[in-house]
């Protein structure tokens, strides 16, 4: 009765859309004039899912088969992360090139992707989400980037598939991935300097971070970098961790405007996490050792050379003064056995504009 209840998108509309529907070519017109090497490497396409709607999963796979030169698809590996119905995956093996791997318990997105990557037979990995539709000639531009530079990670422009109507909407190709200091991913306009250097709208865009689930990478490079951090139980931070590692350890991230893939963006996730999502902190000692062994550059290097647009917060906007609430002021009291003071409200000092030593000025907070 509620078409959003199972998958957090309009299931009724998804089932009305044909699995092999035609899509408008959303690329810049110059993309159709480009030519790519005749001997591009084939790729293993890894798609992970848990309780995905059959209509969207089928449309994802069929779009790949219908819009990709067959010789470039080594295989399509579906990793079923312990869905309720194992036939969601098994039925799709009737399609050409499709393999099915099923976890015997919930592992989460990251470990499921690593399992698919480990099973892949091709030298190039392509990761897709299970609610996507690839557009015309999406794969050759990505493989071309990998062939020219095995240390780059190539991502398409991600078009929008409406979660309500399943309309396919073109996204801007003049964006890069970014984030704020809360580590929230965001799309942002290219700087004036970057726009001035881009004379050709088909040229790849160097991006500080990729959105997450859609990219192509050389398998040997993926292994060398340490794959994904398999201690991550919950998706949402893996794109940050991988993006930082690629840039700081000798690689690069590119958004390729002549590759377009549509994605259903939901406002919430429709499933629960195996162990809940309250405690999401992990031990990073192993990743620190990996970075040391790979002789990776520092995060300061990343900020200076890859993402100079992200400014480090400083005290330039700080204001000084006492924090008041009517006749009370915020006061710091040192408690025996505690390193940090305890903040409480106490009557303000009677001396005008002169705070007592324990009453807190803003720069000290």
């Amino acid at each position: 009765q509620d078409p959003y209840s199972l998958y957090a998108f309009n299931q009724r509309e998804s089932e009305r859309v044909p699995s092999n529907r035609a899509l408008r070519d959303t690329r810049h017109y110059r993309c159709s004039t480009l030519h790519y090497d005749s001997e591009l490497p084939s790729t293993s396409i890894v798609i992970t899912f848990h309780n995905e709607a059959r209509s969207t999963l089928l449309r994802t796979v069929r779009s790949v088969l219908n819009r990709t030169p067959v010789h470039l698809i080594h295989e399509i590996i579906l990793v079923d992360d312990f869905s309720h119905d194992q036939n969601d995956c098994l039925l799709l093996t009737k399609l050409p090139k499709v393999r099915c791997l099923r976890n015997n318990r919930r592992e989460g997105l990251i470990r499921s992707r690593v399992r698919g990557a480990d099973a892949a037979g091709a030298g190039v990995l392509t990761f897709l989400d299970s609610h996507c539709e690839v557009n015309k000639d999406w794969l050759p531009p990505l493989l071309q980037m990998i062939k020219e530079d095995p240390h780059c990670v190539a991502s398409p422009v991600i078009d929008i598939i409406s979660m309500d109507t399943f309309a396919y909407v073109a996204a801007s190709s003049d964006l890069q991935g970014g984030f704020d200091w809360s580590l929230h991913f965001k799309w942002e306009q290219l700087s004036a300097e970057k726009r001035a250097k881009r004379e050709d709208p088909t040229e790849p865009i160097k991006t500080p971070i990729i959105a997450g689930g859609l990219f192509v990478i050389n398998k040997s490079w993926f292994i060398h970098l340490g794959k994904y951090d398999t201690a991550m139980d919950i998706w949402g931070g893996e794109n940050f961790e991988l993006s930082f590692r690629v840039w700081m350890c000798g690689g690069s991230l590119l958004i390729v405007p002549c590759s377009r893939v549509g994605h259903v963006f939901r406002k919430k996730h429709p499933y629960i996490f195996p162990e809940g999502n309250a405690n999401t902190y992990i031990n990073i000692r192993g990743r620190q050792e990996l970075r040391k062994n790979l002789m990776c550059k520092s995060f300061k290097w990343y900020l200076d050379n890859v993402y100079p647009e992200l400014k480090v917060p400083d005290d330039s906007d700080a204001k000084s003064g006492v924090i008041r609430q009517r006749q009370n002021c915020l006061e710091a009291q040192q408690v025996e056995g505690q390193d940090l003071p305890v903040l409480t409200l106490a009557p303000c000092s009677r001396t005008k504009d002169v705070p007592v030593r324990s009453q807190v000025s803003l720069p000290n907070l």
Side-chain angles (χ1 to χ4, degrees), residues 28-31 34 198-204 255-258:
H28 191 279
Y29 71 90
R30 290 189 191 175
C31 292
L34 299 181
R198 288 193 77 233
E199 298 178 353
D200 184 351
T202 69
E203 287 182 358
I255 295 175
V256 184
C258 289

Side-chain angles (χ1 to χ4, degrees), residues 167-188:
Y168 189 102
V169 181
S172 171
S173 60
D174 292 323
L175 302 175
Q176 68 176 20
F179 59 93
D180 57 27
W181 287 108
S182 298
L183 290 186
H184 289 118
F185 177 87
K186 60 180 180 178
W187 294 109
E188 55 190 25

Side-chain angles (χ1 to χ4, degrees), residues 27-290:
R27 301 171 299 167
H28 191 279
Y29 71 90
R30 290 189 191 175
C31 292
S32 60
T33 66
L34 299 181
H35 299 281
Y36 304 101
D37 289 356
S38 58
E39 296 184 2
L40 291 172
S42 64
T43 182
S44 295
I45 300 171
V46 178
I47 302 171
T48 65
F49 69 94
H50 171 73
N51 290 342
E52 182 62 82
R54 286 188 176 184
S55 55
T56 51
L57 183 58
L58 175 61
R59 199 155 45 242
T60 299
V61 175
R62 290 201 68 180
S63 74
V64 170
L65 292 172
N66 292 343
R67 300 191 182 100
T68 311
V70 65
H71 68 282
L72 296 181
I73 305 176
H74 182 81
E75 61 195 341
I76 300 173
I77 300 175
L78 301 180
V79 184
D80 176 3
D81 190 20
F82 202 56
S83 297
H84 294 159
D85 189 346
Q86 62 180 353
N87 285 322
D88 291 350
C89 190
L90 292 175
L91 288 171
L92 289 171
T93 60
K94 297 179 181 180
L95 294 173
K97 306 272 190 176
V98 176
R99 295 173 55 195
C100 177
L101 303 177
R102 178 173 167 83
N103 296 336
N104 55 20
R105 65 176 187 176
R106 282 291 303 279
E107 293 289 354
L109 172 74
I110 289 87
R111 287 189 289 271
S112 297
R113 283 191 164 182
V114 170
R115 184 186 180 192
D118 289 343
V124 176
L125 303 172
T126 298
F127 292 101
L128 293 177
D129 283 342
S130 55
H131 31 271
C132 291
E133 289 175 73
V134 302
N135 212 317
K136 183 177 181 181
D137 294 335
W138 70 286
L139 188 56
L142 301 174
L143 294 177
Q144 183 72 40
M145 296 297 101
I146 303 301
K147 183 174 182 179
E148 292 177 3
D149 180 5
H151 293 166
C152 91
V153 176
S155 177
V157 172
I158 303 177
D159 289 334
I160 300 165
I161 300 174
S162 168
M163 60 174 280
D164 301 309
T165 66
F166 275 77
Y168 189 102
V169 181
S172 171
S173 60
D174 292 323
L175 302 175
Q176 68 176 20
F179 59 93
D180 57 27
W181 287 108
S182 298
L183 290 186
H184 289 118
F185 177 87
K186 60 180 180 178
W187 294 109
E188 55 190 25
Q189 293 286 340
L190 298 179
S191 66
E193 181 182 0
K194 287 185 177 180
R195 287 198 305 270
K197 291 181 179 178
R198 288 193 77 233
E199 298 178 353
D200 184 351
T202 69
E203 287 182 358
I205 298 168
K206 290 183 178 181
T207 181
I209 191 168
I210 55 175
L214 317 179
F215 64 91
V216 178
I217 186 171
N218 183 284
K219 183 177 181 179
S220 296
W221 179 234
F222 182 66
I223 295 171
H224 174 79
L225 285 174
K227 307 178 185 178
Y228 276 115
D229 183 352
T230 54
M232 288 184 171
D233 292 326
I234 299 172
W235 66 270
E238 74 285 350
N239 57 319
F240 287 89
E241 199 265 345
L242 181 64
S243 296
F244 296 156
R245 196 155 23 98
V246 168
W247 275 115
M248 294 160 63
C249 304
S252 61
L253 298 173
L254 299 176
I255 295 175
V256 184
C258 289
S259 175
R260 295 272 185 157
V261 176
H263 181 274
V264 181
F265 290 95
R266 298 183 278 210
K267 295 179 180 178
K268 63 179 182 179
H269 51 76
Y271 42 77
I272 60 173
F273 297 110
E275 304 297 331
N277 60 356
N279 184 9
T280 56
Y281 298 103
I282 63 175
N283 189 321
I284 62 170
R285 186 174 301 167
R287 306 313 274 183
Q288 290 174 320
E289 287 295 321
L290 173 67

Side-chain angles (χ1 to χ4, degrees), residues 320-341:
S320 178
V322 174
I323 301 176
R324 301 176 62 101
Q325 185 184 54
R326 297 188 176 92
Q327 302 303 316
N328 292 325
C329 291
L330 193 63
E331 186 174 274
Q333 294 182 345
Q334 196 69 44
V335 177
E336 185 177 353
Q338 293 190 16
D339 294 333
L340 297 177

